[in-house]
Amino acid sequence: MSTPASASLADADPLLDGLNPQQRTAVLSRSAALLIVAGAGSGKTAVLTRRVARLIRDRELWPSQILAITFTNKAAAEMRERVELLVGREAAQGMWISTFHSACVRILRREAEQFGFGAAFTIYDSADSRALIKRLVKEMQADTLGFTVSAVAGKISRLKNELVDAEGYSRQLNPNDPTEVMFLELFRRYTAELRRANAFDFDDLIAQTVYLFRAFPKVAALYQRRFRHILIDEYQDTNHAQYALIRELTRPVEPVHVPVDTRVELDATGGIPAASLTVVGDSDQSIYAFRGADIRNIVEFERDFTGAEVVLLEQNYRSTQTILDAANAVIANNFDRIAKNLFTAVGAGDKIVGFTGYTQHDEAQFVADEIQKLHEAGTPYSQIAVFYRTNAQTRALEEIFIRSGLPYRVLGGTKFYERAEIKDLMAYLIAVANPADGLAMRRILNTPKRGIGPATETALANHADELGGTMHDALRDAAALGLGPKVTAAILDLAGLLDELADGVTTMLVPDVLTTIIERTNYLELLRGSRDPQDEARAENVEELVAVTRDFQKNNPEGRLVDFLTEVALVAAADDLDDSSGTVSLMTLHTAKGLEYDAVFITGVEENLLPHQMSAAEPGGPAEERRLFYVGITRARKVLHLSLAMTRSTFGDTTVASPSRYLQEIPTELIDWRDSPGMGARSSTRSLGSGRDGFRYSASLPPAGKPKTEWANRVTASVRDNGDLTLAVGDRIRHVDFGDGTVSAVTGVGPKSIAEVQFETAGRKRLLIKIAPLEKL
DNA sequence: GTTCCTAAACTTTTT
DNA sequence: GTTTAGGAAC
């Protein structure tokens, strides 16, 4: 970061060193409300951390009086690290830096008892909510009215983000509309079930904190007094509930809630003035409207917080001018925005590389080949990222990456914690921590199989109701149900295990709780002894989970079961990003927000994918998709690749794809289009619907149904296994796709060994020997 | 109560 | 093409 140094006293301050005038203003402003409009790559993290560092260093307030909200846990950790680097680890102790959800969990765990919840409440993820809603829809036979689980879940979530609870909804509904009445009943029962289970869903974490503050001004005052400076990052993606939370936290404290011994400065009436608020955002990067994010929060900030100061950061320190030109050109097509132009002093840099493949496999091969070239030219794998619109697009990429021996990791997507065996064991842990959680209890009741079927489950649930207690209470009292001796014994055994663990929950280490469960239920042994070949992988996952708990305990020696469960519930896709891993990162465009890489690939830049088909119907959909593309482009520092395929297979059948409308918005001279190597002789007619140059169009598509074997980059669907085949430098081999070649190097050991092969016609490739479709000649 | 087979749904993005 | 849900058979 280099800016012309102005000769002022401030230059002596290392915390202002290297900042441009706007950035300095943003660091130094002491306005009660400050909006920093930070374009992509404009050094906003540097500004935020230095602002916080100055507050602490100059003793304007204690670290514990600072609340900073970031979008992901990873961003929070990064910010803490950078502040510690500036003022020292000791001096930074006590700051709250976290996501909205983590901060609210922290508050709720402290205050839950105030309003009828227990401190060990469970956090339901979307899958848990859906499971519960599914049961309710069934019980109510709501499906006959056309209710689907996802529609109900979506509507409840939207209402909660708007701070409308079941009672609020009942006041505004039409009592003559049976579907509205039914929905209200579902909403009511869902709310009641959560309360009974001592659980909050994701949306509750925010909404219930707001309700808590509104219902208990004394509790609210506690936090209003404590936090004197509040910073919110990615403000453009806050929803109404989050906005309301900010409003609650930035209320002045009434004199009646001011303790006599307060050291805080009082206002004229004897109260404590409102906390200062700093928000950072960029409406061009708002991509979470589907989650309730309301762009008005940032647009109307100045009106909401009177006397607010606004600082604009437009200079970009990340990307080349070529990349910025493309980004500016694309985003300029969104009409309802405040004009803003990113600029840089870096220079034009390389052209954007465009590629049109025949199929998604062809496209993936291009990506893999380009990554290999970049790597050989000195770009580390960790500085390369591949983005896509939907998670389903990873498959083709992964297939090719595995076969090319490229080290990669997928961020987000089908997560570890969504696997059945992991959910099983997590359900045990939850049942131990929160005996009221019926959902977890139902899951473990017959896992592993102990002969407790649906009939017994219902009997136990009814018994719990009769006792007026939890499922756990019913289990202990199973003898009263008059079931068979075998089933009764199994139930009592489970109840005993849970009792035993619940007794030790405050003292036992988390890995010990888990291993006790695994041993007593024989979980691992059963998987090992199974003849289902997939169970071997499941057993490995179970061991991985044990390793995760050990890791957790190592990092949090004081952490107990509830802390572990909280951490697991709130980890986001981008959070487990380990920069030191030395791998290429694959992720959705949404996950890419806030990250940056030397080389970026945006794949699947096609109509119906980017913009996505589903977005067309939504108001503001195409504009939001454009912002998504903009976010993707602006992640790149040095080189950007845009690729698409002419055909794409979804659901097993192949459809013709056409280039995204957004590609036409990038000036032609910025992109260097390359041909697909699998397409044979180049055609002279290259046109796109609009007449702009740049693409091969579908005129050259083969007739439908024609086998794809004629293309050099064809990918065989099944993964083959060459067993223990070993290759040495100089060996001649024949590859199904690439033809004959000579091995020029071999790296790696055992099943992970990779051969570098110089092919006669296809060039140099790296292949995973074990599975590449090749034979030794 | 458990296991196995067929059918249908599935893909937007996530804390 | 894959995964999951539901039903039939044991």
Side-chain angles (χ1 to χ4, degrees):
Chain A
M1 201 164 301
S2 64
T3 48
S6 56
S8 79
L9 271 176
D11 279 335
D13 187 344
L15 290 182
L16 296 175
D17 203 29
L19 297 185
N20 69 31
Q22 290 76 30
Q23 290 175 323
R24 283 182 185 211
T25 311
V27 170
L28 295 173
S29 165
R30 287 297 173 271
S31 174
L34 171 68
L35 165 62
I36 303 171
V37 177
S42 59
K44 99 190 154 176
T45 311
V47 167
L48 271 181
T49 49
R50 289 171 190 230
R51 189 170 162 81
V52 171
R54 264 189 73 106
L55 290 171
I56 294 172
R57 188 199 61 186
D58 297 349
R59 305 251 178 254
E60 288 184 48
L61 32 77
W62 299 105
S64 61
Q65 293 176 312
I66 295 172
L67 170 65
I69 299 290
T70 56
F71 200 69
T72 62
N73 292 298
K74 179 174 187 292
E78 215 171 85
M79 187 165 168
R80 178 177 298 278
E81 208 171 287
R82 289 180 68 163
V83 173
E84 282 175 358
L85 218 63
L86 292 172
V87 299
R89 181 175 279 268
E90 287 298 307
Q93 287 289 316
M95 278 186 298
W96 277 36
I97 306 184
S98 70
T99 61
F100 271 110
H101 291 85
S102 299
C104 287
V105 168
R106 211 162 154 183
I107 294 170
L108 288 172
R109 290 228 189 270
R110 281 187 193 182
E111 317 290 345
E113 262 108 32
Q114 303 269 1
F115 64 127
F117 284 87
F121 59 80
T122 307
I123 300 163
Y124 276 13
D125 65 19
S126 327
D128 298 328
S129 304
R130 295 172 67 98
L132 175 52
I133 290 169
K134 190 176 172 186
R135 208 181 79 219
L136 294 175
V137 167
K138 212 173 208 170
E139 273 174 23
M140 301 282 300
Q141 298 181 347
D143 47 338
T144 55
L145 279 166
F147 281 96
T148 63
V149 174
S150 62
V152 175
K155 190 162 178 182
I156 290 178
S157 172
R158 253 172 287 129
L159 287 168
K160 285 189 176 179
N161 285 333
E162 287 295 317
L163 293 178
V164 178
D165 60 8
E167 289 328 296
Y169 184 78
S170 76
R171 271 179 252 121
Q172 62 177 46
L173 65 64
N174 171 6
N176 298 319
D177 185 339
T179 60
E180 285 194 25
V181 174
M182 174 60 88
F183 175 77
L184 172 64
E185 190 53 31
L186 287 168
F187 195 1
R188 276 198 171 130
R189 290 194 182 201
Y190 176 73
T191 307
E193 284 292 317
L194 283 178
R195 180 166 283 263
R196 202 164 93 135
N198 190 26
F200 294 106
D201 66 22
F202 272 136
D203 304 312
D204 278 340
L205 296 177
I206 317 290
Q208 295 283 357
T209 307
V210 174
Y211 292 144
L212 169 75
F213 284 168
R214 289 185 180 168
F216 301 93
K218 210 175 144 189
V219 176
L222 218 65
Y223 295 91
Q224 288 158 355
R225 285 203 309 262
R226 173 179 173 145
F227 299 124
R228 303 314 304 151
H229 203 114
I230 299 174
L231 300 100
I232 317 284
D233 197 5
E234 309 284 8
Y235 191 65
Q236 76 282 354
D237 281 323
T238 50
N239 61 34
H240 178 72
Q242 291 163 342
Y243 168 80
L245 183 70
I246 295 166
R247 286 239 81 131
E248 292 303 325
L249 283 171
T250 53
R251 256 180 226 293
V253 184
E254 312 243 339
V256 59
H257 294 307
V258 177
V260 273
D261 60 343
T262 187
R263 283 183 292 178
V264 178
E265 205 173 308
L266 303 180
D267 63 18
T269 65
I272 298 174
S276 304
L277 176 65
T278 302
V279 305
V280 190
D282 175 6
S283 32
D284 287 339
Q285 295 185 63
S286 161
I287 54 174
Y288 280 98
F290 73 92
R291 209 169 78 185
D294 192 342
I295 204 154
R296 280 178 309 177
N297 289 347
I298 192 163
V299 176
E300 295 173 7
F301 183 80
E302 288 171 84
R303 211 197 61 200
D304 279 345
F305 298 88
T306 39
E309 187 177 352
V310 180
V311 180
L312 243 82
L313 306 180
E314 281 184 302
Q315 179 162 7
N316 178 293
Y317 296 95
R318 180 187 295 154
S319 312
T320 65
Q321 192 62 47
T322 299
I323 290 165
L324 293 184
D325 284 346
N328 284 331
V330 167
I331 202 67
N333 289 282
N334 274 1
F335 54 92
D336 56 343
R337 62 186 280 275
I338 308 156
K340 183 166 65 202
N341 253 328
L342 298 176
F343 64 95
T344 180
V346 168
D350 293 340
K351 275 195 170 190
I352 295 166
V353 179
F355 179 85
T356 308
Y358 225 141
T359 63
Q360 55 217 0
H361 304 292
D362 201 8
E363 182 191 19
Q365 187 67 58
F366 161 78
V367 173
D369 289 348
E370 287 297 308
I371 289 175
Q372 211 50 257
K373 274 190 223 159
L374 284 166
H375 183 64
E376 279 161 19
T379 307
Y381 286 129
S382 60
Q383 273 309 318
I384 303 173
V386 184
F387 303 154
Y388 36 80
R389 179 64 178 84
T390 68
N391 283 305
Q393 287 167 253
T394 50
R395 188 163 295 147
L397 290 163
E398 281 193 82
E399 242 170 57
I400 302 281
F401 280 23
I402 289 171
R403 288 183 22 178
S404 307
L406 274 181
Y408 73 93
R409 56 180 9 221
V410 180
L411 303 186
T414 313
K415 276 170 262 164
F416 179 67
Y417 293 100
E418 284 167 14
R419 296 171 187 278
E421 59 277 16
I422 302 304
K423 291 209 91 160
D424 286 345
L425 291 173
M426 290 301 293
Y428 269 98
L429 296 177
I430 291 168
V432 169
N434 177 16
D437 192 330
L439 202 69
M441 196 65 90
R442 278 170 200 264
R443 182 168 187 115
I444 65 172
L445 217 44
N446 199 30
T447 316
K449 309 244 181 301
R450 30 172 98 79
I452 306 173
T456 313
E457 183 187 312
T458 312
L460 282 166
N462 289 339
H463 193 50
D465 284 344
E466 284 164 24
L467 293 171
T470 63
M471 198 77 150
H472 191 171
D473 297 327
L475 254 56
R476 275 193 216 101
D477 196 37
L481 282 170
L483 298 161
K486 240 171 135 178
V487 185
T488 309
I491 295 172
L492 290 176
D493 184 53
L494 175 62
L497 170 64
L498 293 176
D499 278 332
E500 193 182 306
L501 291 170
D503 284 344
V505 76
T506 49
T507 51
M508 276 177 89
L509 297 177
V510 185
D512 296 340
V513 179
L514 182 59
T515 48
T516 307
I517 290 166
I518 294 171
E519 276 165 26
R520 288 279 297 272
T521 58
N522 238 353
Y523 199 93
L524 203 51
E525 293 308 307
L526 287 166
L527 286 177
R528 286 267 161 68
S530 153
R531 53 196 175 79
D532 184 341
Q534 287 201 312
D535 282 345
E536 190 48 45
R538 295 197 180 106
E540 278 172 30
N541 286 331
V542 170
E543 281 172 349
E544 177 67 23
L545 183 65
V546 177
V548 170
T549 58
R550 292 225 171 88
D551 239 33
F552 167 83
Q553 201 74 76
K554 206 177 92 198
N555 298 330
N556 309 274
E558 300 300 312
R560 289 298 175 264
L561 187 53
V562 173
D563 307 299
F564 175 70
L565 293 173
T566 303
E567 185 169 301
V568 169
L570 297 178
V571 287
D575 289 342
D576 40 63
L577 178 84
D578 179 4
D579 297 328
S580 62
S581 63
T583 58
V584 176
S585 300
L586 273 63
M587 71 193 84
T588 64
L589 285 162
H590 282 90
T591 305
K593 185 166 87 153
L595 305 176
E596 57 180 79
Y597 296 89
D598 281 347
V600 163
F601 292 78
I602 302 180
T603 63
V605 191
E606 298 152 27
E607 278 297 300
N608 296 332
L609 202 52
L610 187 69
H612 195 273
Q613 207 163 4
M614 292 296 198
S615 73
E618 288 158 30
E624 174 145 325
E625 297 282 306
R626 187 178 278 112
R627 290 194 291 269
L628 197 50
F629 188 44
Y630 174 79
V631 166
I633 293 174
T634 53
R635 299 307 97 198
R637 284 198 203 100
K638 295 175 185 157
V639 278
L640 175 65
H641 298 72
L642 303 176
S643 63
L644 57 150
M646 296 200 309
T647 62
R648 193 164 289 272
S649 319
T650 41
F651 292 126
D653 58 7
T654 306
T655 49
V656 175
S658 53
S660 168
R661 65 189 77 168
Y662 304 142
L663 283 175
Q664 301 174 48
E665 297 169 0
I666 301 176
T668 320
E669 65 273 14
L670 296 180
I671 310 184
D672 172 21
W673 284 95
R674 302 214 189 134
D675 274 331
S676 159
M679 283 166 53
R682 86 179 261 142
S683 141
S684 58
T685 53
R686 317 178 80 227
S687 68
L688 176 67
S690 72
R692 231 201 232 262
D693 196 9
F695 310 99
R696 292 182 157 275
Y697 203 49
S698 50
S700 57
L701 272 181
K706 199 172 174 183
K708 297 174 201 162
T709 44
E710 64 175 20
W711 301 310
N713 282 343
R714 182 186 62 87
V715 172
T716 43
S718 59
V719 171
R720 51 180 279 154
D721 190 340
N722 292 327
D724 297 330
L725 176 71
T726 51
L727 293 175
V729 175
D731 279 350
R732 294 282 297 161
I733 60 119
R734 176 168 298 155
H735 189 278
V736 172
D737 296 331
F738 305 135
D740 293 358
T742 308
V743 177
S744 54
V746 178
T747 52
V749 285
K752 289 191 173 161
S753 48
I754 290 163
E756 195 174 278
V757 182
Q758 183 65 48
F759 287 100
E760 281 152 23
T761 51
R764 199 147 45 109
K765 304 278 180 197
R766 281 158 55 87
L767 307 162
L768 200 56
I769 296 172
K770 192 171 167 61
I771 55 168
L774 55 79
E775 56 178 330
K776 206 165 163 178
L777 294 178

